[in-house]
Amino acid sequence: MEINRRFSHEVREAMRREIENAGGNEVFFTGIIDADGKIISVNVGSRGNSDSVPVNFSESRTASVLIHNHPGGNLHPSDADLIVASDASEKAQGFYIVNNDVSEVYVVMEPIKPVITKKLDCEETSVYLSKNGTLAKISPDFEERPSQIELVKEISRAFNDDAIGVFEAGTGVGKSFAYLVPSMLWAAQNKERVVISTGTINLQQQLSEKDIPLAEKIIGKKIKAVLVKGRQNYVCLRRLSEVGTERDLFSDETEIFDKINDWAKTSATGSKSDLSFMPPENLWQRVNSEADACMGMRCKFREKCFVMRVRKEAADANILVVNHHLLFADIESRMNGAGYDDTAVLPPYKRIIFDEAHGIEDAATSFFSNAINRFRILKQLNLLYRQRKASSTGYVYTLSALSRIEDKSDLVKNEIEATKNAVSHLEEEASFILGNEFNIRLFEGTAPRFSSVISAVSLLQKHLATVTGLTREIIEGIDEDDLDNSVIYEAKAVLRRLDDMVATCQNFFSWEEHPESVFWIQAKRLPPAMAKSVENPFFYEFVQTPLDIAPMMNKGVYEPLKTVVCTSATISISRSFDFWKKRVGISFVEKERVKSGEFASPFPYEKNMFFAVPSDAPFPDNENFQSFIENSIVSLIQAAGGKTLVLFTAYDSLRHACDTARTRLRLSGITVLRQGEDDRFRLLSQFKEDVSSVLFATDSFWEGVDVPGESLSLVIIVKMPFGVPSDPVFAARSEQIAKKGGFPFMELSVPQAVIKFRQGFGRLIRRGDDTGAVVALDRRIIEKSYGRMFTQSVPKCEIVYKPLKDIIERVGMRLDSPS
């Protein structure tokens, strides 16, 4: 019988009693179904009369099925019933009508059967990477890593418990496989998509090309994994075709354009990374795919579209590999209305792995910042109208030719010229207020100095808004039959970008209404070729940056998603995760939902390296510090025979020290490389291949440098990497802590410096047989009380605190005899 298939015997009996107790009148019930769709429990929500019963919406929120009885025995739904049933369907709820003795049922709306989650067996999952597992059988040099096995178990529990996981895995633990194995097993057995987000392209490619294929062999299952890049990485065939009709207008790059055009005809991916050369950025931006300018189903190239092809692949993938920037673009779209159940930038998902999680705050801060400068503004304006030799060109002329309204192209042209003048005026005001500084923050203390800048921003905003308004009037006059013209899509994309700039200008001059943001100006150097022909070698950028990304992370990531696993080699400070959790919003999450743990590196640091600090070094604020580090660096490099990475916190200090080293090492056969003299990839390649070379670097080279073996045997850390007090965002965040009664130095400066120091320290030992030394020339790390936070946060090894000459001798001995 239908009634027996829909209701358990116990539920039917309970409902009969409740209806009888209500005098045979209508009773509203809420029911819970099992995996077979049978109602296994009910609650009474409300009681009515013989003709109607109120719906208890509070009680119905968590129900699978809404049920009520018709005392007369006619089970067909009334109009009121159908309205309630329609509302229920939107919440995936069923709607049933029964008679008074619950012997018959009329199903108005079918319920959605609950998805039964198949949890991971933590022990079985960890076996795959144990000495008894598949990896041991297929890998000839396999060594069991106890810390990796424990990490697998913890990540598996995070999946099972819908938890937030914060796991620090030291170098050599094998964290990639520790999260890939449970992620792939979970995706396969639960038909759920898992997103893996990384901070670097190198790790994305390693995961896709090497680690995931091996992980498939380890678990014995074929898993569909797709590497998803931002659409700007793919060529747009429509734009490529249209730019081809104007190829003679950029004669300097015609040959490169032809190469891209030929490549696109045979490329399987359309991805810029598959080109055999690096195209000029300004040319690539004219032919790459952009969401704003996409014609979608109206595009005649849609069947061949590389972006659509990747999206189709991603739509049924088990694993998506993305970078943090693309993930935040997706999260922003979902927070702005796309929701979490449908495709936004990415297909829907409920579980994320953040690898290289130490970079989440910086990645989110960068993504959610808005910036305008001369080049960004002029690029968009020149697409609408530009004077090229004796002719004028731009979208505005095509739009005007299509539009029925009177020709406004001259008005747009004049307003664009006025806008360009407003940009020049704004730059003059920015140059004046900055003087010899490279940045300045807009806040209560500097607001009086900003009055002329604010006026200039307001003027720019006014002209930009007029340009967009006039252009939209032209577009509104175009007949519907002509709306398929691609120029309209390109022009609308320009207008949307200009609208964003208008909004940034608006926020800048109403900055007091946005306490959640930091507003600042920075001077940036012009490219050398441009700087030669102008008096001022700088251009100016106006930036709005989020003060605190923690609330956004909680609202956009931790609350709506089920499992979020964050892993890195450097997210704890003195064995505590509290600082990092607070910065990225995990402190908002209920403590019961957060799992955390440290998983130590298996590498023998105590045997293979030592950490030294010269006891006779002057403090960094001493006028002799620069000359001390220049002499020390040369002596240490000579003792090591090259093979050295020197990490700085300031480029000027790096430049002077590098010049000194080149002069004094010119006859030694040691090649001195300097960041900025070549691109990162070529610099690192040369550093690896030339065993006796040394590399002077700053900032980005503190992390992501992976040079195992003899080519890197000595890391010199010149100064403790404290944030620059004058940095506008750092200063604003410090003030925020102080206003709450905190101590910014200990709550922000030191913890940030510890994490970066750990990154630099970690460049030395990249595999089990690496040996060498880390030398820090800043003795505050030993002599200041906060120095313990640094030494307690790096792997345990011998610490040498002696005069520089003793350290130089020790370096020479260590590198001559590594055992």
Side-chain angles (χ1 to χ4, degrees):
M1 288 177 63
E2 179 74 357
I3 194 73
N4 292 329
R5 188 171 72 84
R6 298 278 181 176
F7 295 83
S8 71
H9 175 74
E10 293 78 13
V11 164
R12 289 173 60 198
E13 288 298 320
M15 291 177 68
R16 282 195 197 104
R17 287 195 300 272
E18 292 293 346
I19 293 170
E20 185 177 335
N21 291 339
N25 289 309
E26 289 196 20
V27 179
F28 172 75
F29 298 91
T30 59
I32 301 297
I33 61 174
D34 62 14
D36 297 321
K38 179 177 285 189
I39 297 175
I40 54 175
S41 68
V42 289
N43 285 323
V44 175
S46 54
R47 300 171 182 83
N49 55 34
S50 60
D51 297 315
S52 62
V53 64
V55 176
N56 185 329
F57 289 105
S58 177
E59 183 67 34
S60 68
R61 284 198 189 108
T62 57
S64 308
V65 186
L66 311 184
I67 317 153
H68 76 292
N69 60 306
H70 279 187
N74 179 1
L75 304 189
H76 288 93
S78 64
D79 289 344
D81 289 335
L82 292 175
I83 291 171
V84 176
S86 295
D87 289 340
S89 70
E90 298 204 1
K91 302 170 187 171
Q93 295 172 322
F95 189 82
Y96 297 177
I97 302 172
V98 297
N99 58 356
N100 275 20
D101 63 358
V102 199
S103 59
E104 297 179 25
V105 61
Y106 185 88
V107 177
V108 182
M109 193 69 65
E110 290 283 359
I112 302 297
K113 293 180 181 179
V115 176
I116 304 301
T117 299
K118 298 177 182 176
K119 294 191 175 185
L120 298 173
D121 184 310
C122 299
E123 295 296 330
E124 286 185 10
T125 303
S126 68
V127 167
Y128 285 106
L129 299 178
S130 74
K131 61 185 178 183
N132 300 316
T134 317
L135 182 58
K137 296 173 184 175
I138 63 177
S139 177
D141 55 352
F142 173 83
E143 287 184 19
E144 186 177 80
R145 307 176 190 181
S147 52
Q148 183 185 50
I149 291 171
E150 290 306 310
L151 178 56
V152 172
K153 293 178 184 177
E154 283 300 314
I155 293 174
S156 299
R157 292 185 188 106
F159 275 99
N160 290 344
D161 300 339
D162 293 347
I164 308 297
V166 180
F167 305 125
E168 181 172 281
T171 307
V173 166
K175 60 181 168 63
S176 296
F177 288 109
Y179 63 67
L180 280 176
V181 168
S183 295
M184 294 166 75
L185 289 172
W186 182 276
Q189 68 189 34
N190 288 296
K191 302 295 184 276
E192 278 192 16
R193 186 177 292 107
V194 178
V195 174
I196 298 172
S197 181
T198 77
T200 61
I201 294 172
N202 287 345
L203 183 51
Q204 282 180 273
Q205 291 176 332
Q206 179 182 315
L207 287 169
S208 298
E209 298 168 10
K210 181 181 176 184
D211 294 349
I212 289 176
L214 179 53
E216 287 179 319
K217 294 179 181 178
I218 293 172
I219 66 173
K221 297 179 187 292
K222 190 69 178 173
I223 302 294
K224 184 170 183 180
V226 175
L227 170 60
V228 185
K229 304 175 186 177
R231 67 187 301 151
Q232 72 276 6
N233 289 284
Y234 299 94
V235 69
C236 171
L237 295 174
R238 174 186 64 77
R239 301 182 88 194
L240 185 69
S241 173
E242 291 173 358
V243 170
T245 65
E246 305 175 351
R247 62 191 293 276
D248 294 335
L249 295 179
F250 44 95
S251 54
D252 294 345
E253 296 170 346
T254 301
E255 184 179 343
I256 299 175
F257 171 81
D258 289 341
K259 285 183 178 181
I260 296 174
N261 198 27
D262 291 341
W263 161 79
K265 293 173 183 175
T266 58
S267 174
T269 67
S271 172
K272 183 169 72 169
S273 63
D274 291 343
L275 280 166
S276 60
F277 58 94
M278 185 62 69
E281 193 60 26
N282 63 322
L283 175 58
W284 180 255
Q285 288 177 355
R286 295 190 65 185
V287 299
N288 70 342
S289 178
E290 292 186 342
D292 286 345
C294 180
M295 294 181 68
M297 296 307 293
R298 293 174 182 250
C299 181
K300 65 180 181 180
F301 294 94
R302 63 183 179 276
E303 297 299 327
K304 298 179 180 179
C305 177
F306 294 112
V307 172
M308 296 308 296
R309 194 180 301 170
V310 171
R311 285 194 163 187
K312 287 177 183 176
E313 288 293 304
D316 62 349
N318 304 105
I319 302 289
L320 297 182
V321 180
V322 304
N323 63 26
H324 295 336
H325 189 276
L326 185 63
L327 180 65
F328 287 130
D330 179 77
I331 290 167
E332 180 184 48
S333 178
R334 296 184 186 283
M335 292 176 69
N336 288 340
Y340 287 78
D341 297 321
D342 299 309
T343 295
V345 176
L346 300 173
Y349 53 90
K350 289 294 183 183
R351 303 182 194 273
I352 295 180
I353 306 288
F354 278 109
D355 199 348
E356 300 177 312
H358 62 274
I360 289 177
E361 183 180 17
D362 286 346
T365 297
S366 173
F367 178 82
F368 290 102
S369 291
N370 298 311
I372 57 172
N373 62 46
R374 179 205 313 177
F375 298 106
R376 291 186 181 183
I377 296 170
L378 297 187
K379 177 185 175 182
Q380 302 309 315
L381 295 178
N382 288 336
L383 289 171
L384 291 178
Y385 162 79
R386 62 189 179 278
Q387 188 78 27
R388 188 182 289 272
K389 296 181 180 178
S391 63
S392 298
T393 185
Y395 299 147
V396 70
Y397 290 108
T398 304
L399 297 175
S400 295
L402 292 170
S403 184
R404 299 186 313 274
I405 68 170
E406 63 176 305
D407 188 354
K408 292 180 180 283
S409 57
D410 283 344
L411 290 175
V412 176
K413 170 187 169 183
N414 293 336
E415 198 57 42
I416 285 176
E417 290 303 321
T419 305
K420 291 179 178 179
N421 290 334
V423 171
S424 297
H425 174 57
L426 178 59
E427 287 219 316
E428 290 172 3
E429 296 296 344
S431 174
F432 179 77
I433 193 175
L434 276 164
N436 295 323
E437 301 297 321
F438 283 94
N439 56 60
I440 185 171
R441 178 165 61 106
L442 171 56
F443 70 113
E444 292 87 348
T446 59
R449 297 166 56 193
F450 265 83
S451 58
S452 59
V453 171
I454 295 298
S455 296
V457 169
S458 179
L459 180 65
L460 174 61
Q461 189 256 3
K462 175 186 171 184
H463 285 300
L464 283 172
T466 304
V467 170
T468 60
L470 287 170
T471 308
R472 283 196 169 91
E473 286 181 29
I474 298 173
I475 293 173
E476 287 167 5
I478 299 175
D479 289 333
E480 191 170 341
D481 292 343
D482 293 322
L483 291 178
D484 281 351
N485 191 305
S486 62
V487 171
I488 298 174
Y489 283 83
E490 295 286 354
K492 285 182 176 179
V494 169
L495 295 180
R496 280 190 287 270
R497 295 181 202 121
L498 291 175
D499 286 341
D500 289 341
M501 296 177 189
V502 169
T504 301
C505 289
Q506 174 69 40
N507 292 343
F508 231 92
F509 66 74
S510 60
W511 62 274
E512 290 176 294
E513 299 173 16
H514 301 278
E516 76 287 351
S517 295
V518 184
F519 294 90
W520 52 293
I521 306 173
Q522 64 176 333
K524 303 179 86 171
R525 290 188 182 276
L526 290 167
M530 294 180 66
K532 288 179 182 177
S533 59
V534 295
E535 184 177 339
N536 183 356
F538 296 98
F539 68 98
Y540 302 91
E541 192 160 68
F542 297 75
V543 190
Q544 177 183 357
T545 297
L547 179 61
D548 186 0
I549 61 104
M552 180 280 298
M553 288 292 294
N554 183 50
K555 182 181 178 183
V557 180
Y558 312 128
E559 284 186 355
L561 301 181
K562 291 183 177 178
T563 297
V564 181
V565 172
C566 305
T567 181
S568 167
T570 54
I571 50 178
S572 73
I573 293 156
S574 298
R575 318 259 90 89
S576 169
F577 297 105
D578 289 349
F579 168 76
W580 186 82
K581 288 194 291 187
K582 186 175 182 180
R583 297 304 309 170
V584 300
I586 294 178
S587 55
F588 287 112
V589 180
E590 315 84 65
K591 290 183 180 180
E592 300 74 28
R593 195 182 165 213
V594 180
K595 300 179 185 293
S596 60
E598 291 180 80
F599 302 87
S601 169
F603 294 160
Y605 286 88
E606 291 183 270
K607 174 186 175 186
N608 287 8
M609 69 160 290
F610 67 90
F611 172 46
V613 180
S615 59
D616 52 353
F619 285 117
D621 58 357
N622 187 293
E623 61 182 11
N624 297 318
F625 183 72
Q626 182 66 29
S627 60
F628 172 81
I629 66 163
E630 291 176 13
N631 293 326
S632 302
I633 290 168
V634 170
S635 298
L636 287 164
I637 289 172
Q638 289 172 327
K643 303 178 279 188
T644 302
L645 173 64
V646 192
L647 295 173
F648 292 80
T649 59
Y651 194 78
D652 280 346
S653 177
L654 178 155
R655 183 165 51 83
H656 290 301
C658 186
D659 289 345
T660 299
R662 281 177 169 166
T663 300
R664 293 174 56 182
L665 297 172
R666 66 185 183 279
L667 301 178
S668 66
I670 295 173
T671 304
V672 179
L673 306 172
R674 186 170 94 187
Q675 179 182 350
E677 293 183 338
D678 206 340
D679 73 48
R680 180 186 174 98
F681 177 79
R682 282 195 290 266
L683 271 178
L684 287 175
S685 295
Q686 189 175 350
F687 183 50
K688 290 177 184 178
E689 292 164 9
D690 184 349
V691 175
S692 64
S693 66
V694 300
L695 175 58
F696 284 63
T698 184
D699 200 30
S700 63
F701 282 75
W702 284 70
E703 59 180 289
V705 174
D706 192 7
V707 185
E710 191 181 1
S711 292
L712 178 52
S713 299
L714 174 64
V715 173
I716 300 174
I717 296 175
V718 174
K719 280 176 66 177
M720 296 163 79
F722 288 112
V724 181
S726 61
D727 175 83
V729 178
F730 180 83
R733 288 174 174 172
S734 295
E735 283 182 14
Q736 183 189 37
I737 292 170
K739 286 177 181 177
K740 295 178 179 178
F743 185 18
F745 182 70
M746 293 305 296
E747 293 180 35
L748 183 65
S749 299
V750 170
Q752 280 188 347
V754 169
I755 287 177
K756 189 160 187 175
F757 179 81
R758 295 187 66 195
Q759 286 286 330
F761 191 101
R763 297 314 94 208
L764 180 67
I765 303 294
R766 306 306 299 167
R767 65 188 188 196
D769 58 353
D770 281 347
T771 62
V774 174
V775 178
L777 301 179
D778 186 343
R779 65 187 173 98
R780 289 177 298 177
I781 202 167
I782 298 295
E783 298 206 0
K784 299 294 183 180
S785 58
Y786 55 78
R788 287 195 299 273
M789 295 178 68
F790 291 79
T791 55
Q792 291 173 357
S793 298
V794 296
K796 189 176 180 182
C797 63
E798 180 187 1
I799 297 177
V800 178
Y801 186 54
K802 291 184 177 180
L804 178 65
K805 64 179 181 61
D806 294 337
I807 293 172
I808 292 169
E809 182 180 343
R810 181 73 180 273
V811 167
M813 292 173 57
R814 159 64 74 174
L815 300 188
D816 284 341
S817 178
S819 59

